[in-house]
Amino acid sequence: MTTNLLEKDPQPCRVIGVLDDGAASLSATALALLRRADLVIGGTRTLALLEDDIAPQAVRRDLTGCLSSVPGWIAEARAAEQACVVLATGDPLCHGIASYLASRLCIQALEVMPNVSTLQLACARLGLAWQDARIVSVHAKDAGEWAVGAAPAHGLYALAQAVRQHDRLAVLTSPDNTPARIARLLVAEGLGEDFQISVAERLCTPDERVWADMAPAQAAAQDFADPNVVLLVRTRQRPDAVRFGLPDAAYHQRQPDKGLITKQEVRAVSLARMQLRATSRVWDIGAGSGSVGLEAARLCPQGHVWAMEKNEGDVEIARRNVRDFGVSNHTLVHGKAPEGLDAWPDPDAVFIGGSGGELAELIALCLKRLRPGGWLVMNFVTLENLAAATQALQAGGAAWDVLQLQAARSKPILHMHRMAAENPVWIVCAQAGSASATAPAAAVEEGA
């Protein structure tokens, strides 16, 4: 039996967690190490908070805006055999600097001395058990107010996904992503009646205040003192939604003539052929009513769906379906492909629900942009489009296969039932640069 024993460095850089009551929050050991340090690294506020406990001759380095320089500062101090301390907030390994430093320095170069997390402290103030809380940090670059359908680059995106999947959340805020902005996100996502929000301001200081169990609409218009943390508790049961194979009637559709929705049976096979994973990035081109993209969004809770539809009326119908589905990982764009696709990240799967006459160009672009192992799936109801698609795939060197699917549904006739056939649909699946196609990922829907 082999044991991997982590050997301690005799002179590591100490990463010390601090609260806003300064020296009072530190253990005797941590305080002694700080007072003997030759180099002290910290943020502007933390350095000022502990100024009286830093040796006069010690070098002070403000890491604000200079995070990438910190590993080099530590390495230089260690090479010079200088005692080094990094001041962090709360627990440095909970969305803190310690994990960043550990990824750039050997783990033996650091000794982490954690404090109570500010989130843990806020839960203690409210008597709220937090072992099942989802921790989310929105301490990111300001991306502005949350907008429904925002892409993953938005600073509040992770929170928007988390509130859909968890009942208790502990949120590390920032001066830009404030409690009020978080409350406005909940309202925008239709969750204003589903959560209560609590805000803990300036913990461990004489100005400490805790605002408990507010409605998001109330908190959305209120200013809170910085620094602060947010606790979200769901008050309405989270829906246990069907992820896959919803009936066609579950979607808003164009009236009086129903159409531009991939029928349930074809949708199920197309989604299966897309080989989706929890993290898949999906394109839904020619979204129509949005049915395929919306079920893909539910099947890929850590992924994202980018959908495009050229018809303005159908865009509004799709938006209604997005609201009813309650997903936050779906971006719907009014436009005509291929224009605008260059702004989307490379996909793991593509579903084409209508090409607007640029089918060959669109297929070539999708084959080029698909990530390794990605699939393109297309549904056709006309021989001409089927022929155009297979010719484009052949020209693009893709491996492809075609499945003809024809379903019949029972319908009442007097006191009996008959079978009414749906239009036959060809499901064309392709993968770029493969020798054979045995399971695909993008679908074209035309009246399917």
Side-chain angles (χ1 to χ4, degrees), residues 55-74:
Q57 72 277 9
V59 175
R60 296 152 175 79
R61 289 190 183 271
D62 192 331
L63 59 77
T64 307
C66 303
L67 183 60
S68 61
S69 300
V70 176
W73 295 343
I74 295 172

Side-chain angles (χ1 to χ4, degrees), residues 274 276 280-284 347-351 370 374-376 441-442:
M274 291 167 75
L276 299 176
S280 291
R281 299 186 296 199
V282 180
W283 290 3
D284 179 12
D348 297 291
V350 179
F351 179 87
L370 275 169
W375 286 95
L376 171 66

Side-chain angles (χ1 to χ4, degrees), residues 75-269:
E76 290 173 4
R78 283 170 48 78
E81 298 185 348
Q82 294 177 332
C84 177
V85 163
V86 175
L87 299 174
T89 301
D91 185 346
L93 285 167
C94 181
H95 291 281
I97 194 174
S99 57
Y100 172 82
L101 296 178
S103 68
R104 286 155 178 80
L105 301 165
C106 64
I107 191 62
Q108 292 90 341
L110 304 175
E111 180 183 353
V112 180
M113 306 182 72
N115 212 315
V116 175
S117 166
T118 53
L119 297 175
Q120 181 183 359
L121 200 56
C123 289
R125 295 289 192 268
L126 290 162
L128 181 67
W130 72 305
Q131 68 269 9
D132 59 349
R134 172 64 183 271
I135 299 175
V136 181
S137 174
V138 295
H139 204 280
K141 184 178 180 181
D142 182 20
E145 290 286 323
W146 176 256
V148 174
H154 196 286
L156 294 176
Y157 183 84
L159 178 61
Q161 308 317 310
V163 294
R164 295 288 185 187
Q165 301 174 44
H166 300 277
D167 297 332
R168 293 186 180 188
L169 299 100
V171 188
L172 294 162
T173 62
S174 74
D176 296 313
N177 292 324
T178 62
R181 181 176 282 183
I182 291 169
R184 290 192 289 272
L185 177 151
L186 293 172
V187 173
E189 287 292 325
L191 299 171
E193 303 296 325
D194 292 39
F195 281 91
Q196 287 183 335
I197 180 171
S198 299
V199 182
E201 307 174 331
R202 295 179 174 172
L203 289 166
C204 298
T205 74
D207 299 325
E208 177 183 308
R209 288 190 300 182
V210 178
W211 303 82
D213 302 335
M214 293 181 291
Q218 174 190 354
Q222 189 166 331
D223 291 328
F224 297 92
D226 191 61
N228 55 65
V229 294
V230 165
L231 302 176
L232 301 176
V233 177
R234 183 178 285 274
T235 55
R236 182 180 292 177
Q237 185 175 2
R238 180 158 38 103
D240 186 14
V242 173
R243 292 176 177 265
F244 175 75
L246 275 78
D248 298 341
Y251 297 91
H252 300 289
Q253 302 172 46
R254 186 188 294 176
Q255 300 289 348
D257 56 320
K258 292 192 176 183
L260 289 183
I261 182 170
T262 303
K263 299 301 189 290
Q264 183 183 33
E265 298 81 5
V266 178
R267 189 186 329 131
V269 174

Side-chain angles (χ1 to χ4, degrees), residues 7 20 32 38 56 103 106 158 179 198 212 226 248 283 306 332-333 347 365 402 426 439 448:
E7 295 184 4
D20 279 349
D38 301 304
S103 68
C106 64
S198 299
D226 191 61
D248 298 341
W283 290 3
W306 287 263
L332 177 62
V333 177
L365 185 148
V402 179
W426 289 288

